[in-house]
Amino acid sequence: MQNRIRRFVAALATAALVLTLAVPAAANNRAYQVDTEPATVPMIFDVLVMRPVGLAMTVVGTVAYVFPVAPIMAVTRPGDLGKPLGPLVGAPARFTFADPIGQHP
């Protein structure tokens, strides 16, 4: 009985390995094409959904920076205190307030 189980598990492992190696070969080549046009979003979706989400992410990033990140950075590396500010607060704020409505790079 155990011999049949071992053969079955070995067959499953072999099939999984074959599928894992075969899937990248069948990948879509369009994923590597670079699009030079800016991404556009319908304006109503941008104003009603994406901008409020961007504002919420700006607030969450600010809270995440002020409470756990800034004190730890001030103690451990005071010279690098501004580095986490860009990804946590700057990028969502730029997305929310600086990008033109309907176009996000």
Side-chain angles (χ1 to χ4, degrees):
M1 181 75 168
Q2 286 184 352
N3 198 14
R4 285 182 20 189
I5 294 173
R6 286 183 186 164
R7 284 186 198 167
F8 181 71
V9 170
L12 283 179
T14 304
L17 180 63
V18 167
L19 286 176
T20 304
L21 296 175
V23 170
N28 190 356
N29 291 335
R30 292 183 61 201
Y32 298 106
Q33 294 176 353
V34 177
D35 192 14
T36 57
E37 295 180 17
T40 59
V41 177
M43 288 181 148
I44 193 77
F45 181 74
D46 188 10
V47 171
L48 293 178
V49 175
M50 293 178 69
R51 297 297 169 138
V53 169
L55 180 63
M57 293 313 298
T58 303
V59 171
V60 168
T62 303
V63 170
Y65 177 75
V66 169
F67 291 114
V69 175
I72 292 171
M73 291 291 290
V75 171
T76 59
R77 292 180 276 166
D80 295 336
L81 193 58
K83 281 187 180 180
L85 189 64
L88 288 175
V89 180
R94 188 171 33 268
F95 174 83
T96 305
F97 300 112
D99 286 349
I101 293 176
Q103 294 181 345
H104 297 286

